[in-house]
Amino acid sequence: MALPHAGGWPSAFRSWWQVLPEDVECLVAQLPGRGARIGEPSLTRVAPMVEALARELAEREPLPYAVVGHSFGSVLGYELTRAMERKGLPPERLAVSARQPPCFPGLPPFAHLRTDAELLDHLTDIGGMSPELRDRADLVGPSLRAIRADLEAMETHRRPRTGTAVPILALGAVDDPVVIGDRMHLWSLETSGDFAHRTFTGGHFYLYDPAHAAAVAALLVPAPAGPGPVPPSPHPSPGVRAGHR
């Protein structure tokens, strides 16, 4: 189960679709307010997002799986892992990327309260938006609404009283302008299971680089049994719908 950055669409993980073994499905969350769900109001709290994701995962065939979250997706992934544990259906591993652990809560000034211009400047600076798109109001407006909602959910999230027993793999880039890299190893405080920490280069969105995607995928799943991606699912999923490769 893959969970992209704030405002992210399933296509954020398209590089992963090409590097995973053919017998592994990449299920990517598509939250309200973007993509095929652009007409739905965005959610601004983590709990209802996780509730819907957990409900959908629990309805699927109980196969081994891992949860991968990038940036805001790490917050969702952590809480989703805890929710699935409570259902008796935990993932085999949780990979958290480019987000400090919940022992460092969001503090003011909050990014979700920035003006549109300030938020666009920030997104452009960290590589989250192409400068050529800034003048495309038809594209930027909906994207900013989804990003702002996800940022609010992330910045209002507070560390739960209990962590997880699922092993955690913490991932980050040494040149990430958003996350203090030395904090990533403190994700070890959130699990009573095994813990590993890997670092890369490539800025805040390093995880979507094909080479880094392949390196991380190799840590999470067995070696490929053969070439070729898994074809897309022809049926949309209920709840927090997911994009398939």
Side-chain angles (χ1 to χ4, degrees):
M1 183 69 184
L3 302 144
H5 57 281
W9 293 23
S11 58
F13 278 89
R14 60 183 176 274
S15 58
W16 284 64
W17 305 342
Q18 307 305 318
V19 302
L20 287 170
E22 63 178 0
D23 59 345
V24 175
E25 182 181 27
C26 185
L27 185 68
V28 188
Q30 181 164 272
L31 299 173
R34 70 214 71 189
R37 308 186 69 186
I38 193 69
E40 300 178 40
S42 297
L43 301 175
T44 59
R45 292 296 183 269
V46 167
M49 301 182 196
V50 169
E51 181 181 355
L53 286 165
R55 182 171 59 248
E56 179 169 331
L57 271 183
E59 292 173 351
R60 293 180 175 273
E61 184 179 358
L63 298 172
Y65 70 101
V67 173
V68 182
H70 181 68
S71 194
F72 169 59
S74 293
V75 176
L76 287 184
Y78 176 57
E79 292 293 0
L80 176 61
T81 294
R82 296 178 63 252
M84 295 306 291
E85 280 185 294
R86 293 193 293 270
K87 292 178 179 291
L89 298 168
E92 294 192 337
R93 179 170 288 193
L94 165 64
V96 290
S97 168
R99 176 61 184 168
Q100 62 189 16
C103 57
F104 294 97
L107 297 172
F110 294 120
H112 76 270
L113 295 177
R114 292 174 177 173
T115 66
D116 285 355
E118 291 170 338
L119 193 51
L120 281 170
D121 285 343
H122 172 68
L123 294 170
T124 303
D125 288 343
I126 67 173
M129 180 168 291
S130 170
E132 292 77 17
L133 292 178
R134 293 191 55 148
D135 296 329
R136 290 288 307 275
D138 56 325
L139 298 176
V140 170
S143 294
L144 280 183
R145 285 193 292 273
I147 291 167
R148 196 182 297 280
D150 287 353
L151 289 175
E152 183 176 347
M154 180 174 70
E155 292 170 344
T156 56
H157 175 259
R158 292 294 179 267
R159 186 185 189 186
R161 293 184 178 180
T162 59
T164 177
V166 172
I168 290 180
L169 171 62
L171 307 163
V174 294
D175 53 349
D176 188 335
V178 179
V179 179
I180 299 174
D182 290 343
R183 291 181 174 180
M184 290 302 295
H185 75 278
L186 293 177
W187 274 101
S188 61
L189 301 176
E190 306 304 325
T191 179
S192 59
D194 293 337
F195 175 79
H197 181 205
R198 298 289 186 273
T199 57
F200 301 85
T201 58
H204 188 63
F205 296 96
Y206 77 94
L207 190 67
Y208 303 141
D209 176 88
H212 297 332
V216 175
L219 297 173
L220 297 176
V221 298
V230 174
S233 167
H235 305 297
S237 302
V240 176
R241 296 172 190 149
H244 300 66
R245 69 188 180 111

